Amino acid sequence: MSVRQTLKMLGLSALAITISVEWLSWLFRRLWPERSPRGPLKEVLFFPTTTTCVEHLLNPNTRSTVSCPCPCPLPHGLETPFTRLLQHLLSASVSLDLCVFAFSSQELSRAVLLLQGRGVAVRVITDKDYMVITGSQIGTLRKAGICVRHEMGAVHMHHKFAVVDGRRLITGSLNWTLTAIQSNKENILVTEEPDLVRPFIREFQQLWDSNDPARRFPSTSPLTNELPHLRDRVSSV
């Protein structure tokens, strides 16, 4: 083989290797879009947040641009801790397990309802006292058909975490209230580190099972027959 042919073969081989590497890199990004050379997703958000319009995230008919058609006077197109929180929530495509003490934010409620409308399986665990306070969004979620259970014991259900698609954890001090979002010093950690996500999945399932109203108030129980209003209050839907 001549030198010219050898150089030509080497050139073609180098080109083939380059194309293969680029293709594998593209495939990796498609299969694991949130992963990077630094490892699983890790993000910390601090509150209070700058007040900004989030209609482009919550209304499927708008687009995420500065020229958002929403006529409200709030700033548009800003990225804030709250918009990042919404983006992480709205990334759900299969499931959302939410365990939260106080839930009165209408924007977060809209996000959860939007996910349900997309076919995402949503489960919510909350506190029995705070679910009935003025402004609570729990009733709105239940009326929409979202499965809700509350802590039935004597303690408060004080968790604040969500698990998105069984792989992304959102947790921290933040209650899902307007005051916490706009006025309090709060924090949120978002991670896909498996060793951190798995314990929260187990905790959610343990709470979900232990607060099943069918186990506490079976249909054959005299208590259920005598106090139907109690059965309705602890219904999981």
Side-chain angles (χ1 to χ4, degrees), residues 178-209:
L178 187 62
T179 299
I181 294 165
Q182 295 187 356
S183 302
N184 292 354
K185 297 290 187 181
E186 307 277 3
N187 67 82
I188 285 286
L189 170 67
V190 184
T191 181
E192 290 185 350
E193 178 61 54
D195 289 342
L196 298 178
V197 178
R198 282 193 292 266
F200 282 87
I201 294 176
R202 289 194 296 267
E203 174 69 2
F204 185 94
Q205 194 60 48
Q206 186 275 325
L207 289 171
W208 187 257
D209 293 340

Side-chain angles (χ1 to χ4, degrees), residues 8 19 45 55 64 82 89 105 107 131 148 161 171 220 228:
K8 185 176 180 180
I19 293 174
L45 307 173
E55 192 64 24
S64 179
F82 186 58
L89 283 173
S105 167
E107 291 171 330
M131 68 183 288
V148 177
F161 72 85
T171 188
T220 56

Side-chain angles (χ1 to χ4, degrees), residues 29 32-36 39-41 84 88 91 167-168 192:
R29 290 194 301 270
W32 298 280
E34 298 295 342
R35 295 189 179 273
S36 70
L41 170 70
R84 290 296 298 148
H88 285 301
S91 72
R167 64 182 179 87
R168 180 175 303 186
E192 290 185 350

